[in-house]
Amino acid sequence: ITFNGDTATANALDDYEEGVHAVTLGGASFTMHTDKNSLQYTKVGRLVTLSGEISVTAVSSPTGTFTISIPFTVADTSDLAERFQGTFSCQNINFAGDYLNIGSYAGQDQMTVQITTDNSGWTYLHGNTFSSTSEFVVSVQYIT
């Protein structure tokens, strides 16, 4: 697709994809609900929109920071411009903090969830905060 009659290849929109990303969770050994284990995505050019609901049915052997895999690697741009924000709604997750913040850093192929407390600092959500009834809904956009 080209715009405004411009036929230059550099100005053509030639990258569109829709699909379902089978999620891998890190930070513990997770078993996910068979109907709630994927996120849907749309990729238009370099912009990826990713959303869906995940349900955990078992968790064991917590090892550290909770991570969520994503279908495309985040772009590595200058001045940390590649960082992104999104929504993360959860239930049956035990954490001490005021709110959760989802995001990523340059070159990563996963998201992490940050916990902020009293506007004074932040840490990451860990695998040991999940139970066999934990669920979350996520929605983010990022640049590849």
Side-chain angles (χ1 to χ4, degrees), residues 57-126:
T57 59
V59 59
S60 63
S61 305
T63 58
T65 301
F66 171 70
T67 60
I68 307 165
S69 66
I70 56 179
F72 303 97
T73 301
V74 177
D76 186 2
T77 59
S78 63
D79 295 331
L80 303 178
E82 67 277 355
R83 290 186 179 180
F84 64 84
Q85 297 286 303
T87 59
F88 184 86
S89 172
C90 59
Q91 66 179 10
N92 301 323
I93 296 177
N94 183 23
F95 69 95
D98 294 332
Y99 62 88
L100 296 171
N101 186 33
I102 192 165
S104 179
Y105 297 102
Q108 289 188 328
D109 59 357
Q110 61 191 11
M111 293 181 281
T112 56
V113 182
Q114 295 173 340
I115 304 169
T116 302
T117 56
D118 297 327
N119 294 322
S120 61
W122 53 269
T123 186
Y124 291 107
L125 189 63
H126 288 261

Side-chain angles (χ1 to χ4, degrees), residues 3-89:
F3 300 95
N4 299 326
D6 188 349
T7 58
T9 304
N11 296 325
L13 177 59
D14 60 358
D15 188 5
Y16 179 86
E17 183 179 336
E18 293 180 358
V20 175
H21 172 64
V23 170
T24 301
L25 303 178
S29 178
F30 291 101
T31 302
M32 291 181 278
H33 189 285
T34 56
D35 293 330
K36 297 179 185 178
N37 60 5
S38 300
L39 300 174
Q40 66 85 28
Y41 69 86
T42 303
K43 183 175 185 282
V44 180
R46 295 178 57 208
L47 180 64
V48 177
T49 301
L50 181 67
S51 63
E53 181 176 350
I54 300 296
S55 181
V56 173
T57 59
V59 59
S60 63
S61 305
T63 58
T65 301
F66 171 70
T67 60
I68 307 165
S69 66
I70 56 179
F72 303 97
T73 301
V74 177
D76 186 2
T77 59
S78 63
D79 295 331
L80 303 178
E82 67 277 355
R83 290 186 179 180
F84 64 84
Q85 297 286 303
T87 59
F88 184 86
S89 172

